[in-house]
Amino acid sequence: MLSPVIDTEGAPFWEYAGRGELRVQACAECGEVRFPPRPCCPHCRSFACEWRRTDGRGRIWSYVRPHPPLLPDYAAQAPYHVVLVELDEAPRIRLVGNLVSGPGAPLDSVPEERVRIGARVQFVFDPGSGLPQWVLERS
Amino acid sequence: MAGGAEKAGGARGSGGVRGPGGAGGSSTVGIKDATAIVGIGQTGFAKRLPEDEKTLACRAVLAALDDAGIDPGEVDALASFTMEETEEVELAKAVGFGDLTFFSKIGYGGGGSCATVAHLATAIAAGQATVGVAWRSRKRGSGPRPWTNTAVQLPTPAQWTRPFGLLRPVDEIAMLARRYMHEYGATRDHLFNVALACRNRANQNPDAIMYERPLTREMYMTSRWISEPLCLFDNCLETDGALACVVVSAERARDCRRRPVYVHSAAQGLPAQHHGMVNYWNDDPLTGPAWTAARHLWKHADLTPQDVDVAQIYDAFSPLIPLSLEGYGFCGRGEGGAFTEGGALEIGGRLPINTGGGGLSEAYVHGFNLITEGVKQLRGTSTAQVPGASTCLVTAGEGVPTSALLLRS
Ligand SMILES: [Zn+2]
């Protein structure tokens, strides 16, 4: 499996995620959130930033089901769901991730019929892969 | 060649030079009709060609110069893609160019195709060069798939997408395609209409990879998935091949061997807060670079979308066509799918597209075959000729920083 190639701006996201916190970069001057992280605020051009905690809730904005040819580790689990999650607290931030039945579950662990645009999801962290994942919210 | 644009404009009668408040909407000298494509060349297309990319590049470039009737020693400008592996130094010494005074390479893969011609047109109109060659040579058919090289991770966006199995360009575009279909009611039949139009034109083109291979709705609907909602036939070919074209001033063009095809308008487009193929992090991910390029293109043109006789629209993936139809103003927002109905994209339809077969069915060489096919249409020599075609839109890859050309005869 591929691990993220983390850059300077993105490092805090991964550090917080490792503690089970979903945080997004926000401008310390004007308060606008931005993603992917970057050195300065495109709204007010301030270089001061903070990492704002979110409740990790969102909705599926779109999703795909990749089929082979894929890299071997992914092909072994294909087809699986890659979802794009729009955060409740920051609608323009749509995080790519995997929809799974629980933290650490295989990429193909949610049946196709349960995946739909608009479905409510919750952030979880998988210590095994070191990646954020998403589970369907119980309702 | 200083003043080349002025002379050219005079020669064309539509004005390459605009003063303040001119009809072109620009307060500076423009490139409108100041230059023309006067030569095109290509190698054969195949899944596997025996020669290497450098050799193929030399063959295509020399064929284009021969088509124009211009000696290679006269070439003083080059333009290609940053992904082009044949360096200017290698090409220039192999085919015997003269002294080069302008050379540029454009990034973002297929988004740069039309920009190669745009850069040459701009340089020639500004007097920085006189004979320009644009080219692309690529062994994408027999060479490796770029996404399989995990050692070369793309810069910043990749850490947010690749680990989750969003590995290939098709996965990235499928994400936008699913949302587009959900939001606007576009269907797989609409995407099939795109694939079918390209395949039908390829069936008329002996040079096309898919020349003798018709496509049916049954084949499309039962084909294997690549990344749902996109299937095999929503994806472009994997091709070995090379193409080139020659750009000179409009004045010089009149002395060339072929009927000039004028660069009426040209544009690049990188929208504010755009993120490339993973354009997921702004207000409206479904309006991409086409919209930005289109605004500039039409602003500097005497034509409107209604005046376009035929279009060559970048088709690495079928959903790029409805998105581009909207972006370039052929229909309204969300109407790109419906636009494809009733044979609209076929010969005789509202807007015949990709008349050589496009990337989906002729060859996928980063969209350069769309440029040369546009030239063939305006020369009247296409294998699927649109009767009397005098204007052609050519676009580069939508979904990445892009470019476009409006050509006229
Ligand atoms: Zn700010």
Side-chain angles (χ1 to χ4, degrees), chain A residues 24-49:
Chain A
V24 293
Q25 191 187 34
C27 177
E29 295 286 338
C30 76
E32 286 278 343
V33 294
R34 60 185 190 256
F35 189 89
R38 65 201 77 158
C40 71
C41 172
H43 303 277
C44 75
R45 282 81 191 183
S46 167
F47 284 76
C49 78

Side-chain angles (χ1 to χ4, degrees), chain A residues 19-138:
Chain A
R19 293 181 226 159
E21 295 179 13
L22 183 65
R23 292 193 183 230
V24 293
Q25 191 187 34
C27 177
E29 295 286 338
C30 76
E32 286 278 343
V33 294
R34 60 185 190 256
F35 189 89
R38 65 201 77 158
C40 71
C41 172
H43 303 277
C44 75
R45 282 81 191 183
S46 167
F47 284 76
C49 78
E50 59 192 22
W51 284 81
R52 194 176 294 167
R53 188 165 185 173
T54 77
D55 64 5
R57 301 175 70 201
R59 288 173 185 272
I60 295 177
W61 188 84
S62 187
Y63 64 97
V64 301
R65 270 166 66 81
H67 293 248
L70 292 158
L71 297 174
D73 290 344
Y74 294 88
Q77 301 177 68
Y80 51 87
H81 292 108
V82 187
V83 294
L84 192 56
V85 176
E86 193 164 54
L87 298 181
D88 286 354
E89 294 173 312
R92 274 175 298 157
I93 293 184
R94 305 179 189 92
L95 296 174
V96 176
N98 297 114
L99 186 68
V100 293
S101 58
L107 300 190
D108 60 352
S109 56
V110 174
E112 183 178 9
E113 59 273 15
R114 299 201 59 200
V115 186
R116 61 174 178 82
I117 288 178
R120 302 205 58 86
V121 294
Q122 172 70 46
F123 163 88
V124 292
F125 182 74
D126 169 30
S129 66
L131 296 175
Q133 295 182 316
W134 299 91
V135 295
L136 289 165
E137 238 181 41
R138 299 172 193 283

Side-chain angles (χ1 to χ4, degrees), chain A residues 2 5-7 13-14 35-38 42 61-65 67 69-70 74 80 82 92 94 96 98 132, chain B residues 147 150 153 156 159-160 163-165 168 171 174-175 178-179 182 225-228 273 280-283 285:
Chain A
L2 295 178
V5 177
I6 298 169
D7 62 11
F13 175 94
W14 298 102
F35 189 89
R38 65 201 77 158
W61 188 84
S62 187
Y63 64 97
V64 301
R65 270 166 66 81
H67 293 248
L70 292 158
Y74 294 88
Y80 51 87
V82 187
R92 274 175 298 157
R94 305 179 189 92
V96 176
N98 297 114
Chain B
W147 57 265
T150 55
Q153 286 284 349
T156 179
Q159 68 183 307
W160 310 109
F164 307 103
R168 308 160 296 184
D171 302 314
M175 191 72 85
R178 167 98 61 187
R179 180 71 192 192
H182 171 82
W225 295 114
I226 301 297
S227 192
E228 295 177 57
Q273 295 298 314
Y280 306 149
W281 305 299
N282 56 34
D283 287 341

